[in-house]
Amino acid sequence: MKQLSKFASFFVFPTFVLCAHLFVSQVLNLYKTFPNLDIPFHFAGGLSIAYTSTQTVAYLEKEKIIPALHQVLFLVLIFSLTATATVFWEFAEFILDQWMNTNIQISLANTMQDQLMGILGGIAWIVLYIRYLEKITGSTRVSN
């Protein structure tokens, strides 16, 4: 149970970002007034996905569920997981638009911008993570 609780704690940040997005868009209805407000939310979403991916992979390594990854492979995996999640998020929006007759994806340009912002959020996390590790250990990777 303790392991499940620890694992679940990794998802607090993305859950917060999603709830904030839903509150701003559905309750306050601010996206109609400020249509570009979704840009920082996609960036924060990418940042939170990369954070959660980092915590999850490090935890799996620590518990010896997966072998320790080389630092470059670790960072490539975090980037890949973040990029994949942003693509699938946009797929989900597309499916909602098709099935529910909504217009979440305003245009192809908006969809590409959303994906770019999510990926940039992931890259920002990776850069912050590398700098943090260099600061506290003098290397680009520590084991948890």
Side-chain angles (χ1 to χ4, degrees):
M1 190 63 152
K2 184 179 176 186
Q3 288 179 330
L4 183 60
S5 175
K6 176 75 170 170
F7 188 72
S9 72
F10 303 150
F11 293 86
V12 170
F13 184 21
T15 301
F16 174 78
V17 172
L18 177 61
C19 290
H21 155 73
L22 292 173
F23 182 76
V24 166
S25 66
Q26 301 301 313
V27 176
L28 299 179
N29 208 20
L30 288 179
Y31 281 13
K32 292 204 185 299
T33 307
F34 306 104
N36 289 332
L37 190 58
D38 79 323
I39 293 170
F41 275 104
H42 282 279
F43 183 87
L47 192 79
S48 70
I49 291 165
Y51 165 82
T52 298
S53 298
T54 300
Q55 296 301 313
T56 301
V57 173
Y59 179 76
L60 294 173
E61 287 178 341
K62 178 183 175 189
E63 295 298 316
K64 307 235 185 291
I65 296 170
I66 64 171
L69 300 173
H70 184 276
Q71 61 190 9
V72 173
L73 182 58
F74 182 89
L75 296 173
V76 168
L77 178 61
I78 300 309
F79 174 80
S80 299
L81 289 169
T82 304
T84 300
T86 63
V87 169
F88 279 109
W89 182 270
E90 294 302 317
F91 284 169
E93 287 184 354
F94 175 77
I95 290 167
L96 279 174
D97 280 352
Q98 297 302 306
W99 287 355
M100 307 288 275
N101 200 27
T102 58
N103 191 26
I104 298 169
Q105 292 185 322
I106 301 164
S107 66
L108 178 59
N110 176 266
T111 300
M112 295 296 103
Q113 180 182 47
D114 291 349
Q115 288 179 356
L116 175 65
M117 294 312 296
I119 291 168
L120 289 176
I123 291 169
W125 167 256
I126 290 168
V127 168
L128 291 170
Y129 182 72
I130 290 169
R131 288 187 176 170
Y132 169 75
L133 292 177
E134 288 173 343
K135 184 177 181 178
I136 65 168
T137 67
S139 72
T140 59
R141 181 87 194 289
V142 294
S143 60
N144 287 347

PDB file of all heavy atoms in Angstrom, residues 11-25 31 38-49 51-52 89:
ATOM      1  N   PHE A  11       1.637  11.731  -9.483  1.00  0.00           N
ATOM      2  CA  PHE A  11       0.626  12.261 -10.388  1.00  0.00           C
ATOM      3  C   PHE A  11      -0.094  13.500  -9.843  1.00  0.00           C
ATOM      4  O   PHE A  11      -1.022  14.001 -10.477  1.00  0.00           O
ATOM      5  CB  PHE A  11      -0.383  11.164 -10.750  1.00  0.00           C
ATOM      6  CG  PHE A  11       0.240  10.071 -11.568  1.00  0.00           C
ATOM      7  CD1 PHE A  11       0.892   9.009 -10.969  1.00  0.00           C
ATOM      8  CD2 PHE A  11       0.209  10.129 -12.956  1.00  0.00           C
ATOM      9  CE1 PHE A  11       1.494   8.016 -11.721  1.00  0.00           C
ATOM     10  CE2 PHE A  11       0.804   9.145 -13.718  1.00  0.00           C
ATOM     11  CZ  PHE A  11       1.446   8.085 -13.098  1.00  0.00           C
ATOM     12  N   VAL A  12       0.350  14.012  -8.714  1.00  0.00           N
ATOM     13  CA  VAL A  12      -0.284  15.193  -8.130  1.00  0.00           C
ATOM     14  C   VAL A  12      -0.102  16.415  -9.035  1.00  0.00           C
ATOM     15  O   VAL A  12      -1.067  17.148  -9.298  1.00  0.00           O
ATOM     16  CB  VAL A  12       0.258  15.471  -6.702  1.00  0.00           C
ATOM     17  CG1 VAL A  12      -0.219  16.816  -6.185  1.00  0.00           C
ATOM     18  CG2 VAL A  12      -0.150  14.347  -5.770  1.00  0.00           C
ATOM     19  N   PHE A  13       1.102  16.633  -9.519  1.00  0.00           N
ATOM     20  CA  PHE A  13       1.379  17.807 -10.368  1.00  0.00           C
ATOM     21  C   PHE A  13       0.535  17.795 -11.652  1.00  0.00           C
ATOM     22  O   PHE A  13      -0.184  18.778 -11.931  1.00  0.00           O
ATOM     23  CB  PHE A  13       2.875  17.878 -10.650  1.00  0.00           C
ATOM     24  CG  PHE A  13       3.344  19.087 -11.433  1.00  0.00           C
ATOM     25  CD1 PHE A  13       2.611  20.261 -11.516  1.00  0.00           C
ATOM     26  CD2 PHE A  13       4.560  19.042 -12.082  1.00  0.00           C
ATOM     27  CE1 PHE A  13       3.069  21.365 -12.241  1.00  0.00           C
ATOM     28  CE2 PHE A  13       5.037  20.131 -12.810  1.00  0.00           C
ATOM     29  CZ  PHE A  13       4.280  21.285 -12.889  1.00  0.00           C
ATOM     30  N   PRO A  14       0.535  16.718 -12.460  1.00  0.00           N
ATOM     31  CA  PRO A  14      -0.306  16.759 -13.662  1.00  0.00           C
ATOM     32  C   PRO A  14      -1.800  16.833 -13.349  1.00  0.00           C
ATOM     33  O   PRO A  14      -2.559  17.459 -14.091  1.00  0.00           O
ATOM     34  CB  PRO A  14       0.057  15.484 -14.421  1.00  0.00           C
ATOM     35  CG  PRO A  14       0.775  14.627 -13.481  1.00  0.00           C
ATOM     36  CD  PRO A  14       1.353  15.509 -12.416  1.00  0.00           C
ATOM     37  N   THR A  15      -2.214  16.235 -12.238  1.00  0.00           N
ATOM     38  CA  THR A  15      -3.629  16.325 -11.850  1.00  0.00           C
ATOM     39  C   THR A  15      -3.996  17.759 -11.507  1.00  0.00           C
ATOM     40  O   THR A  15      -5.059  18.250 -11.904  1.00  0.00           O
ATOM     41  CB  THR A  15      -3.916  15.387 -10.657  1.00  0.00           C
ATOM     42  OG1 THR A  15      -3.584  14.050 -11.040  1.00  0.00           O
ATOM     43  CG2 THR A  15      -5.364  15.459 -10.230  1.00  0.00           C
ATOM     44  N   PHE A  16      -3.096  18.443 -10.819  1.00  0.00           N
ATOM     45  CA  PHE A  16      -3.323  19.854 -10.501  1.00  0.00           C
ATOM     46  C   PHE A  16      -3.428  20.692 -11.780  1.00  0.00           C
ATOM     47  O   PHE A  16      -4.316  21.534 -11.906  1.00  0.00           O
ATOM     48  CB  PHE A  16      -2.209  20.395  -9.598  1.00  0.00           C
ATOM     49  CG  PHE A  16      -2.315  21.870  -9.364  1.00  0.00           C
ATOM     50  CD1 PHE A  16      -3.227  22.382  -8.463  1.00  0.00           C
ATOM     51  CD2 PHE A  16      -1.508  22.763 -10.076  1.00  0.00           C
ATOM     52  CE1 PHE A  16      -3.339  23.757  -8.261  1.00  0.00           C
ATOM     53  CE2 PHE A  16      -1.622  24.126  -9.886  1.00  0.00           C
ATOM     54  CZ  PHE A  16      -2.537  24.634  -8.983  1.00  0.00           C
ATOM     55  N   VAL A  17      -2.513  20.458 -12.731  1.00  0.00           N
ATOM     56  CA  VAL A  17      -2.536  21.212 -13.992  1.00  0.00           C
ATOM     57  C   VAL A  17      -3.853  20.955 -14.732  1.00  0.00           C
ATOM     58  O   VAL A  17      -4.486  21.900 -15.220  1.00  0.00           O
ATOM     59  CB  VAL A  17      -1.318  20.860 -14.882  1.00  0.00           C
ATOM     60  CG1 VAL A  17      -1.448  21.484 -16.274  1.00  0.00           C
ATOM     61  CG2 VAL A  17      -0.025  21.311 -14.219  1.00  0.00           C
ATOM     62  N   LEU A  18      -4.276  19.706 -14.802  1.00  0.00           N
ATOM     63  CA  LEU A  18      -5.530  19.375 -15.482  1.00  0.00           C
ATOM     64  C   LEU A  18      -6.721  20.028 -14.789  1.00  0.00           C
ATOM     65  O   LEU A  18      -7.587  20.620 -15.450  1.00  0.00           O
ATOM     66  CB  LEU A  18      -5.715  17.861 -15.554  1.00  0.00           C
ATOM     67  CG  LEU A  18      -7.034  17.387 -16.178  1.00  0.00           C
ATOM     68  CD1 LEU A  18      -7.157  17.870 -17.628  1.00  0.00           C
ATOM     69  CD2 LEU A  18      -7.138  15.874 -16.096  1.00  0.00           C
ATOM     70  N   CYS A  19      -6.778  19.960 -13.461  1.00  0.00           N
ATOM     71  CA  CYS A  19      -7.890  20.570 -12.725  1.00  0.00           C
ATOM     72  C   CYS A  19      -7.903  22.094 -12.885  1.00  0.00           C
ATOM     73  O   CYS A  19      -8.977  22.692 -13.042  1.00  0.00           O
ATOM     74  CB  CYS A  19      -7.825  20.186 -11.249  1.00  0.00           C
ATOM     75  SG  CYS A  19      -8.218  18.452 -10.954  1.00  0.00           S
ATOM     76  N   ALA A  20      -6.722  22.708 -12.871  1.00  0.00           N
ATOM     77  CA  ALA A  20      -6.649  24.159 -13.083  1.00  0.00           C
ATOM     78  C   ALA A  20      -7.143  24.521 -14.479  1.00  0.00           C
ATOM     79  O   ALA A  20      -7.900  25.482 -14.649  1.00  0.00           O
ATOM     80  CB  ALA A  20      -5.221  24.652 -12.871  1.00  0.00           C
ATOM     81  N   HIS A  21      -6.726  23.728 -15.471  1.00  0.00           N
ATOM     82  CA  HIS A  21      -7.186  23.949 -16.852  1.00  0.00           C
ATOM     83  C   HIS A  21      -8.708  23.837 -16.930  1.00  0.00           C
ATOM     84  O   HIS A  21      -9.376  24.696 -17.528  1.00  0.00           O
ATOM     85  CB  HIS A  21      -6.524  22.936 -17.791  1.00  0.00           C
ATOM     86  CG  HIS A  21      -7.283  22.659 -19.037  1.00  0.00           C
ATOM     87  ND1 HIS A  21      -7.362  23.565 -20.079  1.00  0.00           N
ATOM     88  CD2 HIS A  21      -8.013  21.586 -19.416  1.00  0.00           C
ATOM     89  CE1 HIS A  21      -8.107  23.051 -21.038  1.00  0.00           C
ATOM     90  NE2 HIS A  21      -8.515  21.859 -20.657  1.00  0.00           N
ATOM     91  N   LEU A  22      -9.276  22.785 -16.345  1.00  0.00           N
ATOM     92  CA  LEU A  22     -10.725  22.602 -16.386  1.00  0.00           C
ATOM     93  C   LEU A  22     -11.448  23.726 -15.659  1.00  0.00           C
ATOM     94  O   LEU A  22     -12.486  24.213 -16.138  1.00  0.00           O
ATOM     95  CB  LEU A  22     -11.105  21.240 -15.799  1.00  0.00           C
ATOM     96  CG  LEU A  22     -10.674  20.035 -16.617  1.00  0.00           C
ATOM     97  CD1 LEU A  22     -10.943  18.741 -15.856  1.00  0.00           C
ATOM     98  CD2 LEU A  22     -11.349  20.020 -17.979  1.00  0.00           C
ATOM     99  N   PHE A  23     -10.921  24.161 -14.530  1.00  0.00           N
ATOM    100  CA  PHE A  23     -11.534  25.255 -13.785  1.00  0.00           C
ATOM    101  C   PHE A  23     -11.525  26.547 -14.598  1.00  0.00           C
ATOM    102  O   PHE A  23     -12.545  27.233 -14.703  1.00  0.00           O
ATOM    103  CB  PHE A  23     -10.815  25.456 -12.447  1.00  0.00           C
ATOM    104  CG  PHE A  23     -11.415  26.538 -11.597  1.00  0.00           C
ATOM    105  CD1 PHE A  23     -12.592  26.314 -10.905  1.00  0.00           C
ATOM    106  CD2 PHE A  23     -10.813  27.783 -11.498  1.00  0.00           C
ATOM    107  CE1 PHE A  23     -13.163  27.306 -10.121  1.00  0.00           C
ATOM    108  CE2 PHE A  23     -11.374  28.781 -10.715  1.00  0.00           C
ATOM    109  CZ  PHE A  23     -12.553  28.548 -10.029  1.00  0.00           C
ATOM    110  N   VAL A  24     -10.375  26.860 -15.188  1.00  0.00           N
ATOM    111  CA  VAL A  24     -10.241  28.098 -15.970  1.00  0.00           C
ATOM    112  C   VAL A  24     -11.122  28.053 -17.215  1.00  0.00           C
ATOM    113  O   VAL A  24     -11.762  29.041 -17.572  1.00  0.00           O
ATOM    114  CB  VAL A  24      -8.754  28.342 -16.337  1.00  0.00           C
ATOM    115  CG1 VAL A  24      -8.607  29.397 -17.415  1.00  0.00           C
ATOM    116  CG2 VAL A  24      -7.965  28.739 -15.109  1.00  0.00           C
ATOM    117  N   SER A  25     -11.165  26.895 -17.874  1.00  0.00           N
ATOM    118  CA  SER A  25     -11.920  26.806 -19.128  1.00  0.00           C
ATOM    119  C   SER A  25     -13.412  26.592 -18.921  1.00  0.00           C
ATOM    120  O   SER A  25     -14.221  27.219 -19.602  1.00  0.00           O
ATOM    121  CB  SER A  25     -11.351  25.706 -20.021  1.00  0.00           C
ATOM    122  OG  SER A  25     -11.550  24.431 -19.439  1.00  0.00           O
ATOM    123  N   TYR A  31     -11.275  30.992 -21.535  1.00  0.00           N
ATOM    124  CA  TYR A  31     -10.703  30.741 -22.859  1.00  0.00           C
ATOM    125  C   TYR A  31     -11.443  31.513 -23.944  1.00  0.00           C
ATOM    126  O   TYR A  31     -10.877  31.826 -24.978  1.00  0.00           O
ATOM    127  CB  TYR A  31     -10.716  29.248 -23.189  1.00  0.00           C
ATOM    128  CG  TYR A  31      -9.610  28.453 -22.524  1.00  0.00           C
ATOM    129  CD1 TYR A  31      -8.839  28.974 -21.492  1.00  0.00           C
ATOM    130  CD2 TYR A  31      -9.329  27.168 -22.938  1.00  0.00           C
ATOM    131  CE1 TYR A  31      -7.839  28.245 -20.889  1.00  0.00           C
ATOM    132  CE2 TYR A  31      -8.320  26.422 -22.338  1.00  0.00           C
ATOM    133  CZ  TYR A  31      -7.583  26.971 -21.319  1.00  0.00           C
ATOM    134  OH  TYR A  31      -6.585  26.251 -20.737  1.00  0.00           O
ATOM    135  N   ASP A  38      -4.638  28.896 -23.310  1.00  0.00           N
ATOM    136  CA  ASP A  38      -4.312  27.470 -23.322  1.00  0.00           C
ATOM    137  C   ASP A  38      -2.822  27.211 -23.578  1.00  0.00           C
ATOM    138  O   ASP A  38      -2.312  26.140 -23.256  1.00  0.00           O
ATOM    139  CB  ASP A  38      -5.175  26.698 -24.318  1.00  0.00           C
ATOM    140  CG  ASP A  38      -4.726  26.834 -25.756  1.00  0.00           C
ATOM    141  OD1 ASP A  38      -4.274  27.920 -26.147  1.00  0.00           O
ATOM    142  OD2 ASP A  38      -4.851  25.834 -26.496  1.00  0.00           O
ATOM    143  N   ILE A  39      -2.112  28.199 -24.103  1.00  0.00           N
ATOM    144  CA  ILE A  39      -0.680  28.027 -24.394  1.00  0.00           C
ATOM    145  C   ILE A  39       0.111  27.717 -23.116  1.00  0.00           C
ATOM    146  O   ILE A  39       0.823  26.712 -23.072  1.00  0.00           O
ATOM    147  CB  ILE A  39      -0.117  29.243 -25.154  1.00  0.00           C
ATOM    148  CG1 ILE A  39      -0.744  29.321 -26.554  1.00  0.00           C
ATOM    149  CG2 ILE A  39       1.408  29.176 -25.245  1.00  0.00           C
ATOM    150  CD1 ILE A  39      -0.442  30.599 -27.315  1.00  0.00           C
ATOM    151  N   PRO A  40      -0.003  28.526 -22.057  1.00  0.00           N
ATOM    152  CA  PRO A  40       0.746  28.173 -20.844  1.00  0.00           C
ATOM    153  C   PRO A  40       0.261  26.867 -20.205  1.00  0.00           C
ATOM    154  O   PRO A  40       1.043  26.159 -19.575  1.00  0.00           O
ATOM    155  CB  PRO A  40       0.536  29.366 -19.906  1.00  0.00           C
ATOM    156  CG  PRO A  40      -0.575  30.154 -20.472  1.00  0.00           C
ATOM    157  CD  PRO A  40      -0.657  29.840 -21.927  1.00  0.00           C
ATOM    158  N   PHE A  41      -1.004  26.521 -20.392  1.00  0.00           N
ATOM    159  CA  PHE A  41      -1.486  25.266 -19.833  1.00  0.00           C
ATOM    160  C   PHE A  41      -0.883  24.058 -20.552  1.00  0.00           C
ATOM    161  O   PHE A  41      -0.572  23.043 -19.919  1.00  0.00           O
ATOM    162  CB  PHE A  41      -3.017  25.196 -19.850  1.00  0.00           C
ATOM    163  CG  PHE A  41      -3.633  25.857 -18.652  1.00  0.00           C
ATOM    164  CD1 PHE A  41      -4.225  27.105 -18.767  1.00  0.00           C
ATOM    165  CD2 PHE A  41      -3.600  25.253 -17.407  1.00  0.00           C
ATOM    166  CE1 PHE A  41      -4.781  27.730 -17.663  1.00  0.00           C
ATOM    167  CE2 PHE A  41      -4.148  25.873 -16.294  1.00  0.00           C
ATOM    168  CZ  PHE A  41      -4.736  27.107 -16.423  1.00  0.00           C
ATOM    169  N   HIS A  42      -0.710  24.145 -21.861  1.00  0.00           N
ATOM    170  CA  HIS A  42      -0.058  23.051 -22.586  1.00  0.00           C
ATOM    171  C   HIS A  42       1.418  22.950 -22.187  1.00  0.00           C
ATOM    172  O   HIS A  42       1.954  21.842 -22.064  1.00  0.00           O
ATOM    173  CB  HIS A  42      -0.214  23.219 -24.098  1.00  0.00           C
ATOM    174  CG  HIS A  42      -1.572  22.803 -24.578  1.00  0.00           C
ATOM    175  ND1 HIS A  42      -1.908  21.492 -24.795  1.00  0.00           N
ATOM    176  CD2 HIS A  42      -2.669  23.526 -24.865  1.00  0.00           C
ATOM    177  CE1 HIS A  42      -3.159  21.420 -25.197  1.00  0.00           C
ATOM    178  NE2 HIS A  42      -3.655  22.646 -25.244  1.00  0.00           N
ATOM    179  N   PHE A  43       2.059  24.088 -21.989  1.00  0.00           N
ATOM    180  CA  PHE A  43       3.448  24.085 -21.524  1.00  0.00           C
ATOM    181  C   PHE A  43       3.527  23.434 -20.138  1.00  0.00           C
ATOM    182  O   PHE A  43       4.366  22.553 -19.898  1.00  0.00           O
ATOM    183  CB  PHE A  43       3.995  25.517 -21.488  1.00  0.00           C
ATOM    184  CG  PHE A  43       5.442  25.602 -21.100  1.00  0.00           C
ATOM    185  CD1 PHE A  43       6.430  25.483 -22.058  1.00  0.00           C
ATOM    186  CD2 PHE A  43       5.816  25.798 -19.786  1.00  0.00           C
ATOM    187  CE1 PHE A  43       7.781  25.553 -21.715  1.00  0.00           C
ATOM    188  CE2 PHE A  43       7.151  25.875 -19.410  1.00  0.00           C
ATOM    189  CZ  PHE A  43       8.139  25.750 -20.384  1.00  0.00           C
ATOM    190  N   ALA A  44       2.664  23.865 -19.227  1.00  0.00           N
ATOM    191  CA  ALA A  44       2.644  23.295 -17.871  1.00  0.00           C
ATOM    192  C   ALA A  44       2.295  21.809 -17.913  1.00  0.00           C
ATOM    193  O   ALA A  44       2.829  21.020 -17.121  1.00  0.00           O
ATOM    194  CB  ALA A  44       1.655  24.054 -16.991  1.00  0.00           C
ATOM    195  N   GLY A  45       1.420  21.427 -18.834  1.00  0.00           N
ATOM    196  CA  GLY A  45       1.091  20.017 -18.980  1.00  0.00           C
ATOM    197  C   GLY A  45       2.302  19.203 -19.384  1.00  0.00           C
ATOM    198  O   GLY A  45       2.562  18.132 -18.818  1.00  0.00           O
ATOM    199  N   GLY A  46       3.064  19.694 -20.355  1.00  0.00           N
ATOM    200  CA  GLY A  46       4.288  19.004 -20.765  1.00  0.00           C
ATOM    201  C   GLY A  46       5.298  18.939 -19.642  1.00  0.00           C
ATOM    202  O   GLY A  46       5.942  17.901 -19.423  1.00  0.00           O
ATOM    203  N   LEU A  47       5.439  20.022 -18.904  1.00  0.00           N
ATOM    204  CA  LEU A  47       6.346  20.059 -17.752  1.00  0.00           C
ATOM    205  C   LEU A  47       5.929  19.018 -16.712  1.00  0.00           C
ATOM    206  O   LEU A  47       6.752  18.264 -16.195  1.00  0.00           O
ATOM    207  CB  LEU A  47       6.325  21.466 -17.145  1.00  0.00           C
ATOM    208  CG  LEU A  47       7.371  21.821 -16.118  1.00  0.00           C
ATOM    209  CD1 LEU A  47       8.697  22.138 -16.801  1.00  0.00           C
ATOM    210  CD2 LEU A  47       6.907  23.025 -15.311  1.00  0.00           C
ATOM    211  N   SER A  48       4.629  18.948 -16.436  1.00  0.00           N
ATOM    212  CA  SER A  48       4.141  18.013 -15.419  1.00  0.00           C
ATOM    213  C   SER A  48       4.253  16.560 -15.877  1.00  0.00           C
ATOM    214  O   SER A  48       4.531  15.670 -15.060  1.00  0.00           O
ATOM    215  CB  SER A  48       2.697  18.348 -15.023  1.00  0.00           C
ATOM    216  OG  SER A  48       1.792  18.060 -16.074  1.00  0.00           O
ATOM    217  N   ILE A  49       4.061  16.307 -17.150  1.00  0.00           N
ATOM    218  CA  ILE A  49       4.217  14.949 -17.680  1.00  0.00           C
ATOM    219  C   ILE A  49       5.675  14.515 -17.580  1.00  0.00           C
ATOM    220  O   ILE A  49       5.975  13.382 -17.174  1.00  0.00           O
ATOM    221  CB  ILE A  49       3.710  14.868 -19.131  1.00  0.00           C
ATOM    222  CG1 ILE A  49       2.194  15.029 -19.171  1.00  0.00           C
ATOM    223  CG2 ILE A  49       4.125  13.547 -19.789  1.00  0.00           C
ATOM    224  CD1 ILE A  49       1.642  15.333 -20.547  1.00  0.00           C
ATOM    225  N   TYR A  51       7.919  15.667 -15.491  1.00  0.00           N
ATOM    226  CA  TYR A  51       8.194  15.488 -14.064  1.00  0.00           C
ATOM    227  C   TYR A  51       7.701  14.118 -13.590  1.00  0.00           C
ATOM    228  O   TYR A  51       8.439  13.373 -12.935  1.00  0.00           O
ATOM    229  CB  TYR A  51       7.519  16.599 -13.246  1.00  0.00           C
ATOM    230  CG  TYR A  51       7.458  16.296 -11.770  1.00  0.00           C
ATOM    231  CD1 TYR A  51       8.554  16.533 -10.955  1.00  0.00           C
ATOM    232  CD2 TYR A  51       6.308  15.747 -11.203  1.00  0.00           C
ATOM    233  CE1 TYR A  51       8.510  16.234  -9.602  1.00  0.00           C
ATOM    234  CE2 TYR A  51       6.258  15.447  -9.853  1.00  0.00           C
ATOM    235  CZ  TYR A  51       7.361  15.684  -9.064  1.00  0.00           C
ATOM    236  OH  TYR A  51       7.303  15.377  -7.722  1.00  0.00           O
ATOM    237  N   THR A  52       6.466  13.794 -13.921  1.00  0.00           N
ATOM    238  CA  THR A  52       5.887  12.519 -13.508  1.00  0.00           C
ATOM    239  C   THR A  52       6.633  11.344 -14.121  1.00  0.00           C
ATOM    240  O   THR A  52       6.885  10.341 -13.451  1.00  0.00           O
ATOM    241  CB  THR A  52       4.392  12.474 -13.874  1.00  0.00           C
ATOM    242  OG1 THR A  52       3.732  13.525 -13.159  1.00  0.00           O
ATOM    243  CG2 THR A  52       3.761  11.145 -13.506  1.00  0.00           C
ATOM    244  N   TRP A  89      -2.759  13.279 -26.150  1.00  0.00           N
ATOM    245  CA  TRP A  89      -3.701  14.280 -25.641  1.00  0.00           C
ATOM    246  C   TRP A  89      -4.440  14.939 -26.812  1.00  0.00           C
ATOM    247  O   TRP A  89      -5.660  15.103 -26.773  1.00  0.00           O
ATOM    248  CB  TRP A  89      -2.955  15.333 -24.820  1.00  0.00           C
ATOM    249  CG  TRP A  89      -3.871  16.363 -24.241  1.00  0.00           C
ATOM    250  CD1 TRP A  89      -4.257  17.545 -24.815  1.00  0.00           C
ATOM    251  CD2 TRP A  89      -4.547  16.282 -22.992  1.00  0.00           C
ATOM    252  NE1 TRP A  89      -5.122  18.206 -23.992  1.00  0.00           N
ATOM    253  CE2 TRP A  89      -5.319  17.458 -22.865  1.00  0.00           C
ATOM    254  CE3 TRP A  89      -4.562  15.346 -21.969  1.00  0.00           C
ATOM    255  CZ2 TRP A  89      -6.106  17.700 -21.741  1.00  0.00           C
ATOM    256  CZ3 TRP A  89      -5.344  15.606 -20.853  1.00  0.00           C
ATOM    257  CH2 TRP A  89      -6.104  16.773 -20.756  1.00  0.00           C
TER     258      TRP A  89
END
